[in-house]
Amino acid sequence: MNKKILIVGGVAGGAGTAARARRLDESAEIIMFERGSHVSFSNCSLPYHLSGIVKDCDDLVLMCPSKFAEQYNIDARVKSEVVKINREEKTIEVKKLDTGEIYTEAYDKLVLSPGANPIKPQSIKGVNNENVFTIRNVDDIDKLNKYVKNNNVENVAVIGAGYIGVEIAENFVHNDKQVALVEAMDQVMQPFDFDMAQIIQKELHDNGVNVVLSDPLTEVKADQVVLKSGKKIKAEAVVLAIGVSPETELAEAAGLKIGETGGIEVNHNYVTSDPDIYAVGDVIEVYSKIARSKTRLPLAGPAQRQARAAANHIYNIPNKNNGVIGTSVIRAFNYNAAATGLNEKQLKEADIAYDFVYIIPTDKVGLMPDANPLHFKLIYEVPTGKILGAQAVGKGNVDKRIDVMATAILMDATVEDLTESELAYAPLFSTPRNAVNQSTLVATNLINNRYRQVPVTKVRELVENDALIIDVREKDEYQAGHLINAVNIPLSELRERADEIPHDKPVYLHCRSGQRSYNAVLALQGRGFDNVINISGSFLGISFYEYFLDQTTDRNKIVTEYNFN
Amino acid sequence: MNKKILIVGGVAGGAGTAARARRLDESAEIIMFERGSHVSFSNCSLPYHLSGIVKDCDDLVLMCPSKFAEQYNIDARVKSEVVKINREEKTIEVKKLDTGEIYTEAYDKLVLSPGANPIKPQSIKGVNNENVFTIRNVDDIDKLNKYVKNNNVENVAVIGAGYIGVEIAENFVHNDKQVALVEAMDQVMQPFDFDMAQIIQKELHDNGVNVVLSDPLTEVKADQVVLKSGKKIKAEAVVLAIGVSPETELAEAAGLKIGETGGIEVNHNYVTSDPDIYAVGDVIEVYSKIARSKTRLPLAGPAQRQARAAANHIYNIPNKNNGVIGTSVIRAFNYNAAATGLNEKQLKEADIAYDFVYIIPTDKVGLMPDANPLHFKLIYEVPTGKILGAQAVGKGNVDKRIDVMATAILMDATVEDLTESELAYAPLFSTPRNAVNQSTLVATNLINNRYRQVPVTKVRELVENDALIIDVREKDEYQAGHLINAVNIPLSELRERADEIPHDKPVYLHCRSGQRSYNAVLALQGRGFDNVINISGSFLGISFYEYFLDQTTDRNKIVTEYNFN
């Protein structure tokens, strides 16, 4: 007898499951129910409608129901809300949103892929006003875009500085809006650590985005938002992008097990607590390969893999399931930022012992056009050297370094393993010793106690405590901008002037990007200095780390002039 | 007592060994001898002087001898040729090229990094003419550039279509020269297979390079070159870029063991047959991790890793040595091409059983600006699924896919492993199911006999033999250009028109890029057809595969119009 497969939700996870099931079984009856007006649209491209990069919002729709019918023999029903699951009878109840009519469909296997809802806290005053928007689908972005146009909105407040918030902010700037990006936490882009986030914040700030941190939204008015601090920001339109909450109501009502993280609990093959019901996509909780705990990861790539796996299991095809790593990338104006694995905050939470390396190589050979500094942070387990995460920020091709690290994590690689990696090099693409080689070599040195380092995050404290900091750049570089109380002994004079350096206290060294200071540390150690410490990230890292807060707060500057190149 | 380390050769391998040795030992005496005028220049950037991307050829020099002295306390001696090694005495004889004076230096450890010489076959008539150039160093490129300028050269023949030849050809085109690229083999860029090379050839051809294949140079005259076929090509200047030969004379004369490949034989730690003499860089032979045999790999990245390892071993620091994989990348006008591991030709030679996948996904979400087809070939071991190699060609960021595959090879990954890879996705950077996921999923299907495929290289034969080829694209796509005898049954009509398809002979299916035909193959299989075969690469692949030869030979066209998008 032909299998009957019903699927709740018609975007990434749902459409993926349906297509895979059809490929595995030409005779199955497959029906996909979508509450919205469209199946299979590009969620991730939604923000690009606001700048006109995607001109027509209909272009966001990848496959219409008729194509699903023609190409896959899949019955895709839009404006159809699944309102109830009758597990005993193995049926669902579907409400036609146009007419209100409710009908019943029976299933052999049911797949839940309802996704996640943008959070809209009712504690915020005015949150239900007509000028407050959340973005989940094509209708939402169309509505926002039209509202802004029709009401001549000039000032927009985007609440929440995650991926969607930053993308919406940038696209509004490209559309000549005044944009405030408001974040309750002390940094933008939570997948990045505080140090890396500073670079992104600087870029947003440099491009005219009013980045407001550590200040949650409390009230929306017709022409302004009010924050917890009392600060008021002009805004005729407000976009809430403070996260999503898995849409588990249907599953909960059916008595399916919900995990601790709030997502539907699934097994290795994405089967829920009912053996005939699967769940995939943003609604489920997944297993973190690195943290070894349950988590949620609302991303398109994993959703597609889960969809395939669920369909496979319906047809008894075994699946691999490595747990999730979590890899993502964003463009913020002229900078790209990508991350994989866990960051420092997450590793502390998971109680995993780690150390990290922050290097700033050039992304291409310096002679080539568009060669730029690549800020690269590699996090590894101590003492094993196993790679736990990486973050990269720069104007160039940062995602290729992160993709390598994501693959390394998948394969349980250690920093020693990657010192031998052979990545594509030509002057227009990379350097002979690229960020992957270099960061893993530095990590290997650190693991073997060849030298010590201190991160850029500690430099302000060092300066304030009058630590001995030696800047080993050449005089002209020092004069162009330096740490206020650093002593300048260029590497080229270090050996002959080593006598000037005291043996009885810690000596902190930095140069521009860490290369020369690394040589200087080893030279001094070789001359009997036993308390020499490299400042990882060096002056370039310090400049990026200090700049944004120097511009947006009234604290004391610790550098005379910044250096960003 | 302080160690005395002598190093022969001052570019990648030599300079790298010297710097690492200094970092490991502040008290060592380190002397580096370079026959040329410069140490530590960017070899790989040399061609970019010809177009003016690198305006001043002095910029190609990364470190001058005085910087080596100041920053590393390394004595770098240019115009100093090491003419003899006295292994018994542990001394070398050095000739000052300015004065002809010869002196002796003693060593504790000697490191050989003399590099490799461009091949200049004396069998070619006129090869020693003043208008014939080879490119090895800054002086060479300066000389060529000045010759072309001073003699108003308008036509250049570049002999050899490898990395250097293609880069030189392109840079000359950017400098408004008429360029012929002459290759003795039947394709450009040997690291790529014939199918992938067609795409690069097309791009060179489209940009005005006269690509001449299968026709070796036999004679150089003042204003033309003569090829074996008798063909004459106008050329006032000729650049030979037909490969390099390791400079082993010094080592041979000293009785060091030379390997079968013609490079100096070294062990795990780059020690030669003399325990006090190391060799690194283009002069040595290395071990291929995949082929499990000796080979030569004259690349900058491996040279740097060998340099580090040799210095480590001098100081008793253990090294990893995985053998080499071989990864490279080139830009040819608007296309980028990258490769890693072994290609089909090399695997046949090494007698390793393999199969491969050729897919053409879009490199970014199609809605985004600059989204382009990415030609991706993945080669894996049969039956293990172990990844053996990959090649990628396209306008976008092809190297990031190859870097992932290089990492996968390093970690002995299988295609099944990589189906679970989580790479960075956002619409501007990639697609949710990227080339890595997709190619490894296809490979996993093939390994499990879920369907069969035939490569684009076999399509001409199928057409000529009147095989039944069904084009499952929509009618308008078919009408815009198709295989001359393909039958058009759009996927959207396939199920209702399945009766038109015979059961008694093989049915070959294609669409634009392989996505729809894959679904069509499975649909037909599900309906009882048991001899259905997908054409991997589909019409897009066929177009690229056929175009260049259609333009440059007078053979019959098998497509009515090409499709490149």
Side-chain angles (χ1 to χ4, degrees):
Chain A
M1 210 191 66
N2 297 347
K3 255 198 186 73
K4 185 166 176 184
I5 302 171
L6 302 186
I7 298 168
V8 181
V11 196
T17 312
R20 176 68 178 166
R22 171 56 71 228
R23 280 195 288 269
L24 294 176
D25 183 0
E26 180 64 11
S27 65
E29 184 180 356
I30 304 172
I31 312 175
M32 191 163 77
F33 302 91
E34 168 61 41
R35 189 174 49 193
S37 334
H38 305 99
V39 283
S40 194
F41 59 87
S42 176
N43 326 42
C44 305
S45 301
L46 295 174
Y48 296 91
H49 181 47
L50 300 173
S51 60
I53 287 180
V54 178
K55 282 210 182 67
D56 189 339
C57 71
D58 287 344
D59 289 343
L60 292 162
V61 180
L62 306 173
M63 290 270 285
C64 56
S66 66
K67 271 213 167 168
F68 269 98
E70 286 172 5
Q71 299 208 349
Y72 291 103
N73 189 21
I74 289 167
D75 183 356
R77 302 181 186 169
V78 294
K79 294 183 185 169
S80 298
E81 183 173 1
V82 176
V83 291
K84 199 177 170 200
I85 303 169
N86 303 306
R87 287 170 55 193
E88 294 291 313
E89 297 84 20
K90 293 181 73 174
T91 63
I92 60 171
E93 292 172 27
V94 186
K95 185 176 179 180
K96 291 186 175 180
L97 293 181
D98 284 343
T99 62
E101 182 197 337
I102 291 182
Y103 63 99
T104 300
E105 285 282 357
Y107 63 81
D108 295 313
K109 299 290 176 185
L110 176 66
V111 182
L112 304 178
S113 181
N117 260 320
I119 297 170
K120 207 168 175 179
Q122 294 303 312
S123 57
I124 298 168
K125 230 174 125 182
V127 78
N128 299 317
N129 291 359
E130 62 149 20
N131 65 337
V132 180
F133 298 84
T134 56
I135 303 302
R136 185 176 181 180
N137 57 36
V138 179
D139 289 340
D140 292 339
I141 204 80
D142 188 33
K143 210 174 110 191
L144 169 60
N145 191 52
K146 284 183 174 144
Y147 184 89
V148 166
K149 200 172 284 181
N150 296 341
N151 295 279
N152 298 314
V153 167
E154 283 176 12
N155 303 282
V156 181
V158 179
I159 314 300
Y163 285 92
I164 298 172
V166 169
E167 285 172 351
I168 287 176
E170 173 171 355
N171 278 281
F172 269 131
V173 168
H174 292 317
N175 198 2
D176 298 324
K177 304 302 168 205
Q178 293 296 318
V179 181
L181 183 61
V182 176
E183 170 60 52
M185 311 284 279
D186 63 353
Q187 65 164 79
V188 303
M189 299 298 303
Q190 293 302 321
F192 295 81
D193 282 316
F194 192 78
D195 45 4
M196 293 292 120
Q198 300 312 304
I199 307 166
I200 309 168
Q201 286 166 193
K202 173 184 182 301
E203 181 65 6
L204 293 167
H205 176 82
D206 287 353
N207 284 278
V209 176
N210 177 15
V211 181
V212 181
L213 301 175
S214 308
D215 210 351
L217 175 71
T218 55
E219 184 177 358
V220 178
K221 296 184 176 178
D223 59 354
Q224 65 180 16
V225 292
V226 184
L227 309 187
K228 197 177 173 192
S229 68
K231 189 178 216 162
K232 295 179 174 69
I233 298 174
K234 213 172 159 184
E236 297 90 55
V238 179
V239 183
L240 286 187
I242 53 178
V244 295
S245 149
E247 205 172 313
T248 53
E249 294 76 2
L250 187 66
E252 275 184 88
L256 295 179
K257 200 163 171 193
I258 306 298
E260 284 174 18
T261 69
I264 298 176
E265 196 175 291
V266 291
N267 73 5
H268 179 97
N269 292 300
Y270 305 97
V271 181
T272 65
S273 52
D274 181 323
D276 293 315
I277 305 180
Y278 296 76
V280 299
D282 296 1
V283 78
I284 65 168
E285 64 176 21
V286 288
Y287 181 75
S288 161
K289 171 183 165 68
I290 305 170
R292 292 198 166 126
S293 61
K294 296 296 181 73
T295 185
R296 286 193 290 119
L297 188 70
L299 293 175
Q304 289 219 1
R305 286 189 292 284
Q306 294 153 13
R308 183 183 165 93
N312 280 349
H313 190 255
I314 293 175
Y315 291 95
N316 299 313
I317 297 173
N319 290 307
K320 274 190 91 97
N321 182 334
N322 291 280
V324 299
I325 293 167
T327 310
S328 55
V329 60
I330 190 170
R331 178 167 300 171
F333 296 95
N334 303 301
Y335 272 70
N336 301 317
T340 188
L342 300 190
N343 59 33
E344 289 196 70
K345 285 166 295 192
Q346 292 167 318
L347 288 165
K348 278 174 190 150
E349 246 169 63
D351 205 19
I352 297 173
Y354 70 90
D355 198 358
F356 73 93
V357 164
Y358 173 19
I359 58 166
I360 316 177
T362 308
D363 56 359
K364 302 170 186 175
V365 168
L367 290 167
M368 296 294 116
D370 301 325
N372 282 298
L374 169 64
H375 298 260
F376 191 76
K377 180 169 180 172
L378 172 67
I379 311 178
Y380 53 93
E381 191 178 48
V382 172
T384 64
K386 213 165 164 182
I387 292 164
L388 300 172
Q391 298 160 45
V393 187
K395 289 183 179 171
N397 190 342
V398 306
D399 45 323
K400 76 172 171 182
R401 300 303 171 218
I402 292 305
D403 281 354
V404 164
M405 287 301 169
T407 309
I409 293 172
L410 179 74
M411 299 303 297
D412 298 316
T414 64
V415 293
E416 285 99 335
D417 289 328
L418 290 197
T419 58
E420 281 284 298
S421 66
E422 283 179 64
L423 306 184
Y425 161 63
L428 287 165
F429 295 88
S430 182
T431 53
R433 186 172 289 169
N434 58 62
V436 173
N437 296 124
Q438 201 181 318
S439 62
T440 53
L441 284 171
V442 172
T444 304
N445 279 331
L446 289 170
I447 282 180
N448 289 299
N449 295 323
R450 298 213 149 265
Y451 78 103
R452 287 179 297 151
Q453 66 175 16
V454 64
V456 286
T457 52
K458 295 285 179 210
V459 170
R460 180 167 284 270
E461 190 183 315
L462 292 178
V463 170
E464 284 167 356
N465 292 332
D466 259 331
L468 172 57
I469 301 176
I470 299 179
D471 181 339
V472 303
R473 295 176 301 162
E474 296 303 308
K475 279 197 187 66
D476 55 334
E477 296 175 85
Y478 178 85
Q479 278 157 4
H482 58 82
L483 279 170
I484 48 176
N485 51 4
V487 178
N488 184 216
I489 305 181
L491 175 58
S492 55
E493 299 172 11
L494 185 71
R495 289 179 174 88
E496 62 201 42
R497 291 174 60 185
D499 292 349
E500 297 175 27
I501 303 169
H503 277 264
D504 60 350
K505 60 174 183 168
V507 182
Y508 297 89
L509 298 184
H510 78 81
C511 58
R512 173 186 157 276
S513 75
Q515 200 81 37
R516 281 173 285 175
S517 59
Y518 166 53
N519 282 293
V521 165
L522 295 190
L524 290 181
Q525 286 181 177
R527 285 168 185 261
F529 290 84
D530 54 10
N531 203 354
V532 193
I533 299 138
N534 195 25
I535 297 176
S536 97
S538 267
F539 195 66
L540 203 49
I542 294 165
S543 293
F544 275 97
Y545 186 73
E546 295 292 324
Y547 180 83
F548 175 77
L549 287 168
D550 280 358
Q551 299 304 307
T552 54
T553 65
D554 53 4
R555 65 179 195 178
N556 294 326
K557 279 175 66 171
I558 60 165
V559 298
T560 61
E561 291 292 337
Y562 314 95
N563 174 18
F564 301 123
N565 289 301
Chain B
M1 209 190 66
N2 297 349
K3 257 199 187 71
K4 186 167 175 183
I5 301 172
L6 302 187
I7 297 168
V8 181
V11 195
T17 312
R20 175 67 178 166
R22 171 56 71 227
R23 281 194 287 268
L24 294 175
D25 182 0
E26 180 64 12
S27 65
E29 185 180 355
I30 304 172
I31 312 176
M32 189 163 78
F33 302 91
E34 168 61 40
R35 190 176 47 193
S37 333
H38 306 98
V39 283
S40 193
F41 58 88
S42 175
N43 327 40
C44 304
S45 301
L46 294 174
Y48 297 90
H49 181 46
L50 300 173
S51 59
I53 287 180
V54 177
K55 282 211 182 67
D56 189 341
C57 70
D58 288 344
D59 290 342
L60 292 162
V61 180
L62 306 172
M63 289 271 285
C64 55
S66 66
K67 271 213 167 168
F68 269 99
E70 286 171 7
Q71 298 205 350
Y72 290 103
N73 189 22
I74 289 166
D75 183 356
R77 300 181 188 171
V78 293
K79 295 183 184 168
S80 299
E81 184 172 0
V82 177
V83 291
K84 201 179 169 199
I85 304 170
N86 303 306
R87 287 169 54 192
E88 293 292 315
E89 296 85 20
K90 294 182 72 175
T91 63
I92 59 171
E93 293 172 27
V94 187
K95 184 177 180 181
K96 290 186 177 180
L97 293 181
D98 284 343
T99 62
E101 181 197 337
I102 291 182
Y103 63 97
T104 299
E105 284 282 356
Y107 63 80
D108 295 313
K109 300 289 177 186
L110 176 65
V111 182
L112 303 179
S113 180
N117 259 321
I119 296 170
K120 208 170 174 177
Q122 293 304 312
S123 58
I124 298 169
K125 232 176 122 181
V127 78
N128 298 318
N129 292 359
E130 62 150 19
N131 65 337
V132 180
F133 298 84
T134 54
I135 303 302
R136 185 177 180 178
N137 57 36
V138 179
D139 289 340
D140 293 338
I141 203 79
D142 188 31
K143 211 174 108 193
L144 169 60
N145 192 52
K146 283 181 176 145
Y147 183 88
V148 166
K149 200 173 284 178
N150 296 342
N151 295 280
N152 298 315
V153 167
E154 283 177 12
N155 303 284
V156 182
V158 179
I159 315 299
Y163 285 92
I164 297 171
V166 169
E167 285 171 352
I168 287 176
E170 174 171 355
N171 278 280
F172 269 131
V173 169
H174 291 318
N175 198 4
D176 297 324
K177 304 302 168 206
Q178 293 296 317
V179 181
L181 184 60
V182 176
E183 169 61 49
M185 310 285 278
D186 64 352
Q187 65 162 81
V188 304
M189 300 297 304
Q190 293 302 322
F192 295 81
D193 282 316
F194 191 78
D195 47 2
M196 293 292 119
Q198 300 312 305
I199 307 166
I200 309 168
Q201 286 166 196
K202 173 183 183 301
E203 181 66 6
L204 294 167
H205 176 82
D206 286 353
N207 284 277
V209 176
N210 178 14
V211 181
V212 181
L213 301 174
S214 309
D215 210 350
L217 176 69
T218 54
E219 183 178 359
V220 178
K221 298 185 175 178
D223 58 356
Q224 64 180 16
V225 292
V226 184
L227 309 186
K228 196 176 174 194
S229 68
K231 188 176 216 163
K232 295 181 174 67
I233 298 173
K234 212 172 161 185
E236 298 90 53
V238 180
V239 183
L240 286 187
I242 54 178
V244 296
S245 149
E247 205 172 313
T248 53
E249 294 78 0
L250 188 67
E252 275 184 88
L256 295 180
K257 201 164 172 194
I258 307 297
E260 284 174 19
T261 70
I264 300 176
E265 197 177 289
V266 291
N267 73 6
H268 180 97
N269 292 300
Y270 305 97
V271 181
T272 67
S273 53
D274 182 324
D276 293 316
I277 305 181
Y278 295 76
V280 299
D282 296 0
V283 78
I284 65 168
E285 63 175 23
V286 288
Y287 180 75
S288 161
K289 171 183 165 69
I290 304 170
R292 291 197 165 126
S293 60
K294 295 295 180 73
T295 185
R296 288 193 289 118
L297 188 72
L299 293 176
Q304 290 218 0
R305 285 188 293 284
Q306 293 155 12
R308 183 183 164 95
N312 279 350
H313 190 256
I314 293 174
Y315 291 96
N316 299 314
I317 296 172
N319 289 307
K320 272 189 95 92
N321 182 334
N322 291 280
V324 298
I325 293 167
T327 311
S328 56
V329 60
I330 190 170
R331 178 167 301 173
F333 297 96
N334 302 301
Y335 272 71
N336 302 316
T340 188
L342 300 190
N343 59 34
E344 288 196 70
K345 285 167 295 192
Q346 293 167 317
L347 288 166
K348 278 174 191 150
E349 246 170 62
D351 205 20
I352 297 173
Y354 71 88
D355 197 357
F356 73 92
V357 165
Y358 173 20
I359 58 165
I360 316 177
T362 308
D363 57 359
K364 302 170 186 175
V365 168
L367 289 167
M368 295 293 116
D370 301 324
N372 282 298
L374 169 64
H375 299 260
F376 191 76
K377 180 170 180 172
L378 172 67
I379 310 179
Y380 52 93
E381 191 178 48
V382 172
T384 63
K386 215 165 162 181
I387 292 164
L388 300 172
Q391 299 160 46
V393 186
K395 290 184 179 171
N397 188 342
V398 306
D399 46 322
K400 76 173 171 182
R401 300 303 170 218
I402 292 304
D403 282 354
V404 164
M405 287 301 169
T407 308
I409 293 172
L410 178 75
M411 298 305 295
D412 297 318
T414 64
V415 293
E416 285 100 334
D417 289 328
L418 290 197
T419 58
E420 281 284 298
S421 66
E422 283 178 65
L423 305 184
Y425 162 63
L428 288 166
F429 295 86
S430 182
T431 53
R433 185 172 289 169
N434 59 60
V436 173
N437 297 125
Q438 202 181 317
S439 63
T440 53
L441 285 171
V442 173
T444 305
N445 279 331
L446 289 171
I447 282 181
N448 290 298
N449 295 322
R450 299 214 150 264
Y451 78 103
R452 288 179 297 149
Q453 66 174 17
V454 65
V456 286
T457 52
K458 297 284 179 210
V459 170
R460 180 167 283 271
E461 191 183 315
L462 292 178
V463 170
E464 285 167 355
N465 292 330
D466 259 331
L468 172 58
I469 301 176
I470 299 178
D471 181 339
V472 302
R473 295 176 301 161
E474 295 303 308
K475 279 199 187 65
D476 55 334
E477 296 175 85
Y478 178 84
Q479 277 157 5
H482 56 81
L483 279 169
I484 48 174
N485 52 3
V487 178
N488 184 216
I489 305 182
L491 175 58
S492 57
E493 300 172 10
L494 185 71
R495 288 176 175 90
E496 61 201 44
R497 293 175 57 186
D499 292 347
E500 297 174 27
I501 303 169
H503 277 264
D504 59 350
K505 61 174 183 169
V507 182
Y508 297 89
L509 298 185
H510 79 81
C511 59
R512 174 187 157 275
S513 76
Q515 199 81 38
R516 280 172 287 176
S517 58
Y518 166 53
N519 282 294
V521 166
L522 296 190
L524 289 182
Q525 286 181 175
R527 283 165 187 264
F529 290 83
D530 54 9
N531 203 355
V532 194
I533 300 140
N534 195 24
I535 296 176
S536 97
S538 265
F539 194 66
L540 202 49
I542 294 165
S543 293
F544 275 96
Y545 186 72
E546 295 292 325
Y547 180 83
F548 173 77
L549 287 167
D550 280 356
Q551 300 303 307
T552 55
T553 66
D554 54 4
R555 65 180 195 177
N556 295 325
K557 279 176 68 172
I558 59 166
V559 299
T560 61
E561 291 292 337
Y562 314 95
N563 174 19
F564 301 124
N565 288 301

